[in-house]
Amino acid sequence: MKQIDKTFIIKNDIMARIRKEEALRWLSERISGLNEGECLDFLCKKRNRLVRIIKNKKGFLVEERGFFKENFEVNEKELLKLVERLFAREFPRSFMLWAHKRKA
């Protein structure tokens, strides 16, 4: 059975509800289509914890806002490994995440 993403339109942007175990696959599919200055946000259900991936000239800026507040500069190779670690740290009990693509 195929998982159907629930989407909501917020200010002409799409916010999707995705399962946490599919979030890395969802990210890897969309990361190559990001233009410089665009970002992907991943939030918990209450939307009080956030992992943001911003595309810049050098690679990616990853912002962590939640239990910890840190910024990381990584290239595309290191990105998925870092994000996997941040998801485990910021969303330990979450099963579903909000995913949102927007301008940074």
Side-chain angles (χ1 to χ4, degrees):
M1 192 161 107
K2 186 177 178 183
Q3 170 74 19
I4 299 172
D5 293 337
K6 298 176 186 175
T7 58
F8 300 92
I9 301 208
I10 297 176
K11 296 182 184 175
N12 300 325
D13 291 328
I14 294 179
M15 189 173 237
R17 212 48 217 274
I18 59 173
R19 294 187 319 188
K20 186 170 86 170
E21 61 262 11
E22 293 181 359
L24 287 175
R25 181 188 54 80
W26 192 90
L27 171 64
S28 63
E29 290 172 357
R30 284 158 181 80
I31 203 70
S32 60
L34 279 182
N35 298 321
E36 187 178 328
E38 291 183 333
C39 70
L40 291 172
D41 292 344
F42 293 92
L43 299 98
C44 66
K45 181 181 177 184
K46 290 175 19 180
R47 299 183 194 152
N48 61 348
R49 294 189 305 274
L50 162 80
V51 174
R52 176 175 291 145
I53 298 126
I54 304 169
K55 172 88 175 197
N56 60 20
K57 290 179 182 176
K58 299 175 191 172
F60 296 93
L61 173 66
V62 181
E63 295 179 355
E64 178 185 16
R65 301 291 180 265
F67 294 124
F68 301 93
K69 292 177 178 40
E70 295 185 48
N71 294 331
F72 304 91
E73 287 264 352
V74 294
N75 58 28
E76 196 165 351
K77 276 184 171 180
E78 302 165 335
L79 180 66
L80 291 178
K81 188 166 187 145
L82 173 67
V83 170
E84 183 177 13
R85 185 171 53 98
L86 295 179
F87 281 175
R89 191 159 79 172
E90 286 298 330
F91 313 122
R93 292 172 299 281
S94 298
F95 294 102
M96 300 289 284
L97 300 175
W98 287 103
H100 182 54
K101 179 181 175 183
R102 65 180 187 84
K103 295 276 185 197

